[in-house]
Amino acid sequence: QVQLVESGGGLVQAGGSLRLSCAASGRTFMDYPVGWFRQAPGKEREFVGAINWSAGTTYYADSVKGRFTISRDNARNTVYLQMNSLKPEDTAVYFCAADTLQHTIVPMTSRGYNSWGHGTQVTVSS
């Protein structure tokens, strides 16, 4: 099993930027899909984006496309979520997740991931 730890959340004004990190320990991310999700109070957890670790291919929800970028650092075994042009509606707890059971498909729903971090709070003020 892989352990995931998110960091980098905080309070930012609308239009600002944050970079979230998802560090893995126990096992490496090698070949695993890694996803980012978020959950606002009273709402369901929603897909933000994901990366195919080996190919580096990225996928994004329409709501963040063009503003958010996912990248990876093999040496640090870390995945990043760069968030630009933040909006108040981006306020949520952000989670990273890994699918360590397969590496062929990149899941875009939370059910497709079996390892989760505890999340980091992102608050965007207007």
Side-chain angles (χ1 to χ4, degrees), residues 2 4 9 11-12 22-23 35 37-39 44 46 52 61 63 68-70 73 79 82 85 87 90-91 112 114 116:
V2 62
L4 306 177
L11 173 64
V12 64
C22 174
F37 291 78
R38 66 187 182 186
Q39 188 165 19
E44 293 187 354
E46 67 170 348
N52 176 308
S63 59
F68 291 10
T69 303
I70 297 174
D73 185 328
V79 173
Q82 177 67 44
S85 302
K87 305 175 182 180
D90 294 318
T91 296
N114 63 314
W116 290 83

Side-chain angles (χ1 to χ4, degrees), residues 93-104:
V93 177
Y94 283 71
F95 300 88
C96 67
D99 177 4
T100 63
L101 301 180
Q102 60 88 28
H103 56 82
T104 303

Side-chain angles (χ1 to χ4, degrees), residues 21-54:
S21 300
C22 174
S25 61
R27 297 175 69 175
T28 68
F29 277 135
M30 193 64 66
D31 285 343
Y32 300 145
V34 177
W36 284 97
F37 291 78
R38 66 187 182 186
Q39 188 165 19
K43 295 188 176 181
E44 293 187 354
R45 191 168 297 188
E46 67 170 348
F47 173 77
V48 174
I51 185 168
N52 176 308
W53 183 268
S54 57

Side-chain angles (χ1 to χ4, degrees), residues 71-119:
S71 62
R72 72 195 193 286
D73 185 328
N74 291 356
R76 296 179 184 274
N77 208 29
T78 298
V79 173
Y80 301 100
L81 178 65
Q82 177 67 44
M83 306 186 295
N84 299 328
S85 302
L86 283 162
K87 305 175 182 180
E89 51 263 43
D90 294 318
T91 296
V93 177
Y94 283 71
F95 300 88
C96 67
D99 177 4
T100 63
L101 301 180
Q102 60 88 28
H103 56 82
T104 303
I105 300 171
V106 177
M108 296 187 191
T109 66
S110 58
R111 290 180 298 177
Y113 294 87
N114 63 314
S115 293
W116 290 83
H118 289 105

